Amino acid sequence: MIPLAQSSNWFGSHTANMFSAWQWALLGLVPPAIILLYFLKLRRHPLVVPSTYLWRRSIEDLHVNSIWQRLRKNLLLLLQLLLILLVALAVLRPSVAGRKLTGERSIFVIDNSASMQAVDVKPSRLAEAKRHVRGLIDEMRSGDVAMLVSFSDVAKIEQPYTDDRRALREALERIQPTERRTDLGEALRVAAGLANPGRSGTDPNDIRTAAALPADLYIFSDGGFAPVAGFSLGNLKPTFVPVGAEAATNLAITAFGVGRSERDPQKLQAFGRIENLGAAQAGSTVELHLDGRLIDADRVDIPAGQGHSVAFDLSGVDTGTLRLRVSAEDDLPIDNEAFAVVGVPRQAEVLMLTPGNRPLELALQTGEVSELARVRIETPAFLKQPEYQTLAGSGALDWVIYDRCQPERLPTANTLFVGSLPPVGGWSADPKTGGLEIIDIDQSHPLLQWLDLGNVHVFLGSPLKPPQAARVLVDSDVGPLLAIAPREAYEDAVLAFPIVEQLPSGGQGMATDWPSRISFPTFMLNCAQYLGGARRGSAQDSIRPGDTVTLESPSTKTKLSVMTPRDEVLPVPVDPSGKAAFTSTGVQGIYRVQADRQPYRSFPVNLFDPAESNLALGAAPSLSIGHTQVAGQVSWEPSRNELWKWILLLGLAVLAFEWWLYNRRVYG
Amino acid sequence: MPSTSTLLSPELLARLEAMELVSRKIFRGRMKGERRSPRKGQSVEFADYRNYVPGDDLRFVDWNTYARLERLYLKLFLEEEDLHFYALVDASSSMDFGEPTKLRYALQLAASLGFIGLVRGDRIKIETLGQAPRTPAPVFRGRRSLWRMLDHLEGIRPGETASLAEGVKNFCLRNSGKGIVVLITDLMDKGGFEPALRYLVSQSMDVYVVQVLSAAEIDPDLQGDLRLIDCEDDDQAEVTVSKAVVDRYKQTLAAFVEGARSFCTRRGMSHVLTRTDAPLEQLIGGFLRTRGLVR
């Protein structure tokens, strides 16, 4: 009746157990009582027959084991015992008959990215995911082990493999929502490191803490991330439980910045883009706050699936922090706010060393670039002078351009080599060759943003052999033409062809027609912004939650600290080159950098991710992991809630059948 | 004519009137012409001729034939025998079951056979097993005795307690001599039917055993936990009836009936099984005619 051997597993603090021990004992007495009653009060229907002569002869051999015979033949008794068994089973609220937790090892992976803060399921998607996991933890039997991993764009092992359900529950409660984006890949690698032999979550030399065994992988997420490519599940058996409603309402700010007005370059303008990611048309008031004061507002009505841009004039505003707010209530509040900083622009210090390059010089003298950067032009002979040595080693320069010349040592600055190679770092090139055709450009890199190089011809160049860490930005039919490689805190970009070529006759010839294209000055502007570290206009670029910000200290002696939007002040160590990496950018808002406790600069952190703001799960959510398609278990619920109801229903059916049988025997 | 008797319907009477009780033993002897009956000469119905042997009664020589052929032939005449018919009815409590009751059926059968005999002028005697050893039942003869016979039958009530063997023994003590005896019973006796039938074998009678069972006995419609009570000795049997038990009961019944049949056949008796819901005409006109009791 009652599985006494297992009872200890069910007793105690287990919430699945609805009875105390003495109540169980009472329930345990019921079946023997029923059997006893059947022996004592087996009510036989008296029937007068002509003769018992033949009946006696018929049942003579059956009398040998008549007690068991009686039990065997008594369907009603069996049904009653079955009923009691079912009731006892139902009271256990078991996961015995239909456990969803079938593996001995489980990995619960919970998405706590920004979109999990959505309230389309109450109280929130993350709370709903936690509820699912809590149900699974409750279903664990002793001996089952589980691991708890949370992930946004980074994964965190909240609780390594354990069979301690309390520890798992506590770890589960510790999971807090983040405002980061989503990337399942890292969580999978962490999980796989423990489930698959020969892989480790963090370090290839890592010693595995648990033996590599098959594990059930439960992913609780709302999707909203790209397919995980290049990953094999191996021993992991994935179950994807989508969390969230099929459709949700959400107005999201997907861009917000400050720039010069097109019509009047003297004026600053704040512009933002608001997208309606819900299924129905939505309208809202958009408010613009400067340092906490409402300075402007606009009204937007956006059809479903479309976006709308808003622009506000910032006449007379020089500095301050801006906050754009969509006032309408929707399912994801955190993308209803965006921040920007208006500040005094800091010009980049640029040094160009060239034997003479008119197109390059022109491109660095455009209004946009001169606003961003102070450019000093010297000949390659300057390399030998002590002033250069001082400049290159002090960190005073932001960007150095070496046009067809090569320094002995690389400076403490970003560099652009034109028609020459850095002396160190593993750069090499093929011999010069003519008629190179551009076949691919990497527009996702800031240097090539908005550039179209389809109409550019390169007449003469030396295809690059960039070092391993380099990223090829422009590729030709014979080899890379533009590549960029990191070097300590800096980056070196190398252009494989000179813009102009010294002719043997003494004059200058064009090695490419690029300077005659609109893309050339734009490229130089991008370089000034990216390599020069200058920021466009007067606004700081927004970074995304969780990203690392590189802060430049006014000097190596300065003590930097950052005040987060939650008013925590975090010290930031400065490295010898005067740079500091700040990583605690978890929440949206304005981060204020202080140098020696004096306000130094500010930078905004914004989500700006339409994929994260898009809450709709769709009718059939699924995950794509490597070559495996994991369909979402849409109607997934912890099984316990379902089971006891079914068992009780079965019990009722047994009762009805028993009643019918009884009636048929007595009155039929 | 008393209207109280419902044992025989007018239709049945009309059909029975054309029938005749037959004794197999006498029938056989007559066909072979070997048996000499002291009453043969008194019959008027010519049967056959046979050669004269010395010692034959000269009164039966056919003198006309002798005049023509000069050989002595004896004229043989059909006997018109006075047939003794006994119906021995089991009126124990166990016969008071079925629809109609087995006893009712037994009485109807006895009445039918008795009527056939009365019509043919046979000597009819209907007794029950529980009858006192020294009080013989009345004898009926002739069509006029029909109503008297029916009254006698109506007077038979169930509840007699004599065992089968005891009742048959008493019957044999009271009635000796030749004739036909039809024992109508269910054969359900805890002491077994064999001793009873052995008594009958010892009599030089034509013995017919008509075993009457109710439909409920042949095909019991029982279910559940039952306490079966024997109506005769209050014996109780606790049975949980299931299909398997019912099947087993049917096997036992079939073996029991077969045992009775083979017992009877081996001893020159006729055994007929009938059920109370089978029409009486079918029994008399079918089974009993086949077995040679009537024609």
Side-chain angles (χ1 to χ4, degrees), chain A residues 446-497:
Chain A
L447 281 184
L448 295 182
Q449 244 173 352
W450 323 119
L451 291 194
D452 177 16
L453 301 184
N455 53 1
V456 172
H457 300 93
V458 180
F459 312 128
L460 196 66
S462 312
L464 296 172
K465 285 183 180 166
Q468 217 167 15
R471 182 169 168 189
V472 174
L473 302 182
V474 178
D475 215 345
S476 77
D477 52 345
V478 290
L481 294 183
L482 176 61
I484 188 164
R487 167 177 54 90
E488 296 167 10
Y490 309 102
E491 285 185 284
D492 301 320
V494 178
L495 196 60
F497 52 91

Side-chain angles (χ1 to χ4, degrees), chain B residues 63 75 102 207 226:
Chain B
W63 298 111
K75 267 171 107 174
K102 293 189 276 183
V207 181
L226 299 174

Side-chain angles (χ1 to χ4, degrees), chain A residues 38 42-59 61-63 70 73-74 664-665, chain B residues 94 97 102 188 190 217 220 222 225-231 235-240 245 248-249 252-253 256:
Chain A
Y38 258 82
L42 190 63
R43 205 172 131 261
R44 290 187 178 276
H45 190 63
L47 184 71
V48 179
V49 290
S51 174
T52 54
Y53 178 54
L54 288 180
W55 285 108
R56 280 217 173 277
R57 281 172 59 170
S58 301
I59 60 175
D61 55 340
L62 299 180
H63 270 289
R70 203 182 284 182
K73 296 290 174 190
N74 205 318
R664 201 172 137 259
R665 283 195 178 176
Chain B
S94 68
F97 280 89
K102 293 189 276 183
M188 299 282 184
K190 297 259 165 64
E217 283 172 299
L222 300 180
D225 302 314
L226 299 174
R227 195 170 70 242
L228 303 179
I229 303 168
D230 194 312
C231 65
D235 173 51
Q236 297 194 351
E238 293 195 342
V239 185
T240 299
V245 173
R248 191 159 198 94
Y249 169 83
T252 310
L253 177 66
F256 175 69

